[in-house]
Amino acid sequence: WLRVEEKYPVGTTVEGTVVSLTDYGAFVELEEGVEGLIHVSELGPGKVKTPVGMFEEGQEVTAKVIHV
């Protein structure tokens, strides 16, 4: 975590694996020990209420870093 801001600066596009789904978003592992949250409010236009059905655990995804 000491260099996470350097490695994943805001605006960077990253690849990761969905490791868990919650009512409020999907947690994506970027590397061992480093996970990010894709919040439901960032999943698209309109009111997405849950990431279930959009993602599956183990799925590879591409995301953009918007906050560290």
Side-chain angles (χ1 to χ4, degrees):
W1 277 97
L2 297 176
R3 300 187 74 186
V4 75
E5 287 186 58
E6 291 175 26
K7 193 166 184 179
Y8 303 106
V10 172
T12 303
T13 300
V14 295
E15 303 281 327
T17 305
V18 176
V19 291
S20 67
L21 300 170
T22 68
D23 289 340
Y24 54 87
F27 284 91
V28 176
E29 183 178 61
L30 303 179
E31 63 181 79
E32 187 174 333
V34 178
E35 294 179 6
L37 171 67
I38 302 175
H39 192 267
V40 291
S41 65
E42 300 294 332
L43 291 178
K47 301 260 185 204
V48 176
K49 295 185 184 207
T50 178
V52 175
M54 294 186 78
F55 298 108
E56 294 180 8
E57 288 185 21
Q59 179 180 350
E60 297 293 321
V61 296
T62 301
K64 186 173 186 177
V65 178
I66 59 171
H67 180 73
V68 177

